[in-house]
């Protein structure tokens, strides 16, 4: 593989840009928004809640916000598609609006737990009616009189942190979230960019984020960085395919997202990071990578929040590396778009790679170089499982097929075309 590319806009930041712009006053212009299924669902939901959203043909997106507390009750069900981030962050916003809304999603999203956000949001005054296990479809009855809370996250989750902070926007006084392990801080950075008073302090117990409620959020002009979680796929492909050399421009380098780069460097990949800069309050850089023989590593559990979405593709790199790669602290992988821990273990085994799956760990025994392959993989409505196994197929002796490439559209529109442009051809059966 060879060439230079720009990966699609960051999914996490794109959701937040649309949501916070809809809560601001005036116009927000968003360059580089991810135009993937997940984000388009969020755009549609914010429109259904009263924001005006427009896309200039081939150009930036524009949002005319309703002002804090100004969203209006939607006339229909809000279908968040495949997106846990879209659903959970939106529940936070709706919790502190005096309206009733019903959220649903696809088969994958309807199976994912929502109690992690409804519990703190109920403490702030919202009410929820949900299916068994607190799954979607779910009705939220928000309040115009939300109470600020101080909440300690029981799991390291940026989605839960963000839901509480977004609800806290329309509550008087200080909303605090204490996270035992720091997670991606895009919500904090973007709220600050829009004019909110929000700060974080770190002590022995963890990181405490404090938001002053009822700020005046003002429309902004933003550029969304390239998504490091999408960059992960061409990066690993280049690392494992001999002779490859790639440059990825404008990739987000938020320190809570760069765990995969640390792992690949420790495994022996040739990575150079240049032209570090800041865009919309987020660090960005260009990344160059060169193929090199990789070796197995021990990935510390503490690194999980900074690469939580990258374990499936790291496992692919590990399958092509020499020796064992041990990954720990993976319990959260079981409640992503699919149970990613078992999907990866099952898929790698089917491709002839020895793995050990624990309750929250995975060990991959790589043999160095090409893998046997020759398996049909069920993607289980999970874009990252689909892309990971397609990349594994590039390094396999026999073809690897996936049953459904559709979910890739949620985060990486044009994935196959991008890969083909770099010399890695994926074929439709
Ligand atoms: C996200 C946070 C992570 C990540 C997800 C996006 C976000 O989820 O897996 O893809 O945008 O806040 P958790 O917060 O549940 O770990």
């Amino acid at each position: 593989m060879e060439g230079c590319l720009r990966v699609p806009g960051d999914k996490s930041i794109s959701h937040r840009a649309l949501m916070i712009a809809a809560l601001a006053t005036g116009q927000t212009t968003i360059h580089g928004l991810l135009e993937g299924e997940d984000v388009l669902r969020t755009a549609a939901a914010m429109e259904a809640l009263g924001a005006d959203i427009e896309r200039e043909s081939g150009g930036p997106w524009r949002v005319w916000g309703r002002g804090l507390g100004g969203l209006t009750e939607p006339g229909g069900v809000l279908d968040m598609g495949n997106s846990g981030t879209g659903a959970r962050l939106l529940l936070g916003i709706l919790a502190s609006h005096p309206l009733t809304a019903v959220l649903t999603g696809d088969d994958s999203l309807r199976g994912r737990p929502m109690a992690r956000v409804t519990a703190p949001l109920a403490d702030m005054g919202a009410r929820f009616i949900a299916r068994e296990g607190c799954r979607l479809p779910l009705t939220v009855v928000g309040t115009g009189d939300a109470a600020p809370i101080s909440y300690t996250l029981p799991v390291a989750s940026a989605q839960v942190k963000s839901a509480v902070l977004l609800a806290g926007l329309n509550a008087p006084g200080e909303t605090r979230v204490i996270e035992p392990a720091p997670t991606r801080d895009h919500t904090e950075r973007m709220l600050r960019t829009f004019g909110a008073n929000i700060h974080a302090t770190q002590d022995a117990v963890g990181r405490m984020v404090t938001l002053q409620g009822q700020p005046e959020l003002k429309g902004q002009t933003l550029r969304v960085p390239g998504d490091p979680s999408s960059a992960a796929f061409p990066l690993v492909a280049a690392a494992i395919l001999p002779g490859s050399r790639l440059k990825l421009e404008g990739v987000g380098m938020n320190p809570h997202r760069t765990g995969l780069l640390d792992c690949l460097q420790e495994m022996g990949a040739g990575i150079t990071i240049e032209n570090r800069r800041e865009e919309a309050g987020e660090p960005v850089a260009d990344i160059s990578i060169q193929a090199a023989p990789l070796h197995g590593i021990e990935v510390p559990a503490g690194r999980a929040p900074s690469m939580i979405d990258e374990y499936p593709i790291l496992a692919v790199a590990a399958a092509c590396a020499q020796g064992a790669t041990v990954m720990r602290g993976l319990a959260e992988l079981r409640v992503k778009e699919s149970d990613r821990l078992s999907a990866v273990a099952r898929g790698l085994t089917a491709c002839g790679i020895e793995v050990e799956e624990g309750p929250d760990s995975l060990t991959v025994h790589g043999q160095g170089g090409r893998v046997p392959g020759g398996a049909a993989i069920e993607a289980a409505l999970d874009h990252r499982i689909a892309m990971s196994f397609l990349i594994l197929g590039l390094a396999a002796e026999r073809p690897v097929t996936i049953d459904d490439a559709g979910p890739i559209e949620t985060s990486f529109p044009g994935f196959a075309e991008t890969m083909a442009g770099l010399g890695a051809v994926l074929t439709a059966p």
Side-chain angles (χ1 to χ4, degrees), residues 10-16 38 83-86 88-89 112 116 153 155-163 183-187 227 229 257 304-305 307-310 332-333 335-337 340 383-384:
D10 189 282
K11 183 149 73 73
S12 293
I13 296 175
S14 294
H15 284 297
R16 288 159 171 82
D38 277 11
S83 181
T85 306
R88 295 192 178 120
L89 269 55
R112 298 180 67 184
R116 54 180 57 201
L153 296 180
V155 283
S157 167
Q159 292 179 356
V160 179
K161 170 178 64 176
S162 302
T183 63
R184 64 189 72 193
D185 59 353
H186 304 306
T187 303
D227 196 328
S229 297
R257 301 285 299 279
M307 54 173 295
I308 194 67
D309 292 334
E310 279 65 81
E332 277 293 298
L333 291 198
V335 289
K336 295 295 178 187
E337 284 83 330
R340 285 186 175 154
H383 52 133
R384 299 199 202 282

Side-chain angles (χ1 to χ4, degrees), residues 9-17 20 85 89 157-159 161-162 165-166 179 182-194 198 207 209 222-229 251-258 279-284 305-306 308-310:
D10 189 282
K11 183 149 73 73
S12 293
I13 296 175
S14 294
H15 284 297
R16 288 159 171 82
I20 296 172
T85 306
L89 269 55
S157 167
Q159 292 179 356
K161 170 178 64 176
S162 302
L165 291 173
L166 291 170
E179 41 180 11
T183 63
R184 64 189 72 193
D185 59 353
H186 304 306
T187 303
E188 296 94 303
R189 287 172 186 260
M190 188 149 307
L191 285 174
R192 205 170 294 126
T193 299
F194 275 80
I198 182 165
R207 179 172 176 268
V209 183
L222 309 169
R223 174 165 299 282
V224 177
D227 196 328
S229 297
V251 183
M253 293 291 291
N254 184 300
H256 305 296
R257 301 285 299 279
T258 49
E279 284 173 6
E282 291 278 349
V284 171
S306 71
I308 194 67
D309 292 334
E310 279 65 81

